[in-house]
Amino acid sequence: MGGEAEIAEYEKGGTPWCITYTFMPDELEGVMKRYGVKNIKLAGPGAYARTIPNELLVKIMKNPKQRSDFLEFCYLYDSNPYVCGMGKDNLLAWGEL
């Protein structure tokens, strides 16, 4: 978002502040690497769950076994690099310094 001048300013540590800037997964990973972050992992929380009708999600969440299996699958799906960013507005990144 913003254009080349705005992106260049951001990369120098200026504006826009993070709240006004949307990162693509590979872009955020690159920024983290430049600052020495290791073992970077990205996820798009909610990417898979948003494909399921709400009525079905409610039924799944009320059954402990189905909930556990569903959340385990969501974790695997949402951590796939090809779906990062599909979690609507969510991109979770973590790593070690």
Side-chain angles (χ1 to χ4, degrees):
M1 296 177 65
E4 295 299 319
E6 193 173 353
I7 292 169
E9 182 66 23
Y10 183 82
E11 289 177 344
K12 292 188 297 186
T15 58
W17 307 112
C18 294
I19 197 161
T20 65
Y21 188 80
T22 304
F23 288 100
M24 294 299 292
D26 58 340
E27 181 183 15
L28 181 57
E29 185 175 13
V31 169
M32 293 173 75
K33 284 181 179 178
R34 282 198 310 270
Y35 286 95
V37 178
K38 307 273 191 256
N39 299 321
I40 298 169
K41 295 184 181 180
L42 302 172
Y48 185 72
R50 283 183 172 74
T51 69
I52 307 294
N54 189 54
E55 299 79 27
L56 184 54
L57 282 174
V58 170
K59 288 181 181 181
I60 290 170
M61 291 300 139
K62 287 183 178 181
N63 180 301
K65 173 72 172 120
Q66 288 181 357
R67 179 178 55 236
S68 177
D69 291 346
F70 179 76
L71 292 175
E72 179 65 27
F73 181 80
C74 284
Y75 173 78
L76 295 172
Y77 184 92
D78 294 352
S79 297
N80 184 312
Y82 296 105
V83 300
C84 285
M86 289 176 54
K88 193 178 178 215
D89 302 324
N90 306 331
L91 175 57
L92 175 66
W94 66 97
E96 302 170 1
L97 286 176

